[in-house]
Amino acid sequence: MIGSFTFESLPCRVIFGSGTLGAAADEIKRFGGKRSLVLTTPQQEAEGRRLGASLGSLFTGIFAGATMHTPVEITDQALIAMKELDADCVVSLGGGSTTGLGKALALRTGVNQLCIPTTYAGSEMTPILGETKDGLKTTVRTNDVLPETVIYDVDLTLSLPASLAATSGINAIAHAVEALYARDRNPVISLMAEEGIRALADALPSIIATPGDREARSQALYGAWLCGVCLGTVGMALHHKLCHTLGGTFDLPHAETHTIVLPHAVAYNAPLVPEAVARIARAIGASDAAQGLYDLARRLNAKLALRDIGMPESGIDKAAELAVTNAYWNPRPLERNAIRDLIAHAWSGAAPVATKVAS
């Protein structure tokens, strides 16, 4: 039986396909932009300048300083560049770091955004912004940070290294996993979540085996879009809280942190969300959701331990304390000792372990 639910569609225009980057100028004009500031990371500056050249008179300059976790000091630098160039809109080309910077600028100035993802981050489809200040990452949820248009161009993902595609893809899967047991879940998003997980779980091994597989790249980008919609439409829970805590506190790489933590967060919640974990397992073709996600990451040659991406063992207790600070919803109550065990397992790279729920 389908129970009561609320579904709200987010106001974002999506263009998906191959060669769709060519629509960028028309999309800027569509929302009234005249002087666009292109945003990239330092590593993608050359791609950003090529995009800017293609925009002609709509291009006013580039800020190539985006970095992970959206530090407020970088946003302040970008704001100065915006004012100096008199930009009236931003074009974010890249992954979650660049998307986050575009959102931060939109929050502070109200400018329109065109977002062009080159990874599977999914944040381009969300009204969520995470920012880091003084080693702490906080989030805000408002439609003011939602891009006006998102262009998905499969061609732009062909150069994404297979190893990065793997972790970026599991990061996307995490959005859909938590959507399946979100407090405000609904049948529409649950359908999209399971399909997004399936598409990525099928595509990522093919990308590892054959990086130039255009069909697999297309499937992965499609799955990432679906998972991003899930992230933007319903709430998240323990997994995302942990990853924000770990990433912001220890300056850990975003996608790799999600990849490592996800199986352990699923194992923690599994006893209280049997229907959700059954759907996850079905989508990835496994008998157990948590172990199946762990095995998928290992099959993709992804790192499995937080210690291997820079987290000190001494940080386990600090992370556990932060994770239970500032109450947030989760299907299973936040048990400090059990969460510490979860983080310790993720730190060591051990397989996920289902822990007993406190009575």
Side-chain angles (χ1 to χ4, degrees), residues 238 265-274 330-339 341 353-359:
L238 174 64
V266 170
Y268 180 92
N269 282 326
L272 295 184
V273 289
N330 189 65
R332 175 177 172 178
L334 303 179
E335 303 160 21
R336 196 269 180 197
N337 290 339
I339 288 176
D341 290 344
V353 176
T355 56
K356 186 177 181 180
V357 180
S359 57

Side-chain angles (χ1 to χ4, degrees), residues 12-344:
C12 179
R13 176 176 166 87
V14 173
I15 299 174
F16 187 101
S18 293
T20 47
L21 183 63
D26 286 342
E27 290 304 310
I28 293 170
K29 293 175 184 175
R30 192 175 187 275
F31 57 59
K34 293 180 173 64
R35 296 177 58 83
S36 63
L37 175 66
V38 173
L39 308 174
T40 72
T41 61
Q43 295 80 11
Q44 290 185 293
E45 181 175 359
E47 291 91 331
R49 292 195 178 280
R50 283 196 293 272
L51 171 60
S54 74
L55 296 177
S57 62
L58 296 173
F59 174 59
T60 190
I62 186 168
F63 180 84
T67 191
M68 64 181 183
H69 306 307
T70 319
V72 293
E73 57 269 24
I74 297 297
T75 301
D76 289 342
Q77 294 173 24
L79 281 168
I80 293 171
M82 273 193 71
K83 292 175 182 177
E84 290 178 345
L85 294 166
D86 193 26
D88 63 6
C89 62
V90 294
V91 180
S92 304
L93 175 69
S97 298
T98 308
T99 300
L101 177 58
K103 288 180 170 185
L105 294 174
L107 182 66
R108 287 162 174 78
T109 67
V111 294
N112 289 331
Q113 304 170 74
L114 169 60
C115 189
I116 307 170
T118 59
T119 71
Y120 309 134
S123 58
E124 67 278 355
M125 294 306 302
T126 79
I128 303 167
L129 168 64
E131 296 185 284
T132 304
K133 182 178 182 180
D134 299 329
L136 291 177
K137 190 168 187 177
T138 57
T139 60
V140 60
R141 187 183 189 103
T142 169
N143 280 2
D144 292 342
V145 304
L146 186 71
E148 276 62 38
T149 302
V150 176
I151 292 178
Y152 289 104
D153 190 334
V154 175
D155 298 349
L156 299 179
T157 68
L158 292 173
S159 60
L160 180 67
S163 60
L164 295 182
T167 54
S168 180
I170 296 183
N171 176 24
I173 286 174
H175 309 329
V177 163
E178 291 222 301
L180 285 169
Y181 53 68
R183 176 167 49 181
D184 53 351
R185 64 189 177 277
N186 63 71
V188 177
I189 292 300
S190 293
L191 284 171
M192 297 179 79
E194 187 171 348
E195 171 66 359
I197 295 168
R198 182 208 60 76
L200 281 158
D202 285 351
L204 294 176
S206 297
I207 292 172
I208 292 295
T210 311
D213 186 335
R214 183 178 289 273
E215 176 57 29
R217 295 278 185 169
S218 181
Q219 281 291 315
L221 192 59
Y222 159 73
W225 167 58
L226 291 175
C227 294
V229 173
C230 295
L231 174 66
T233 308
V234 298
M236 297 287 113
L238 174 64
H239 170 79
H240 282 76
K241 171 69 172 183
L242 278 178
C243 289
H244 277 186
T245 296
L246 293 167
T249 304
F250 303 106
D251 198 30
L252 304 182
H254 182 83
E256 287 90 339
T257 303
H258 277 266
T259 299
I260 293 166
V261 170
L262 182 59
H264 303 280
V266 170
Y268 180 92
N269 282 326
L272 295 184
V273 289
E275 181 181 347
V277 293
R279 295 185 77 155
I280 297 163
R282 180 170 63 200
I284 62 177
S287 59
D288 178 85
Q291 185 63 46
L293 290 166
Y294 182 84
D295 291 342
L296 175 62
R298 182 165 53 187
R299 183 181 174 191
L300 299 176
N301 301 316
K303 291 179 180 177
L304 302 174
L306 292 172
R307 65 182 177 188
D308 292 338
I309 61 170
M311 180 179 170
E313 186 174 12
S314 60
I316 294 174
D317 285 302
K318 180 179 181 180
E321 288 297 333
L322 289 172
V324 298
T325 301
N326 299 327
Y328 57 96
W329 185 87
N330 189 65
R332 175 177 172 178
L334 303 179
E335 303 160 21
R336 196 269 180 197
N337 290 339
I339 288 176
R340 188 204 182 278
D341 290 344
L342 181 167
I343 297 170

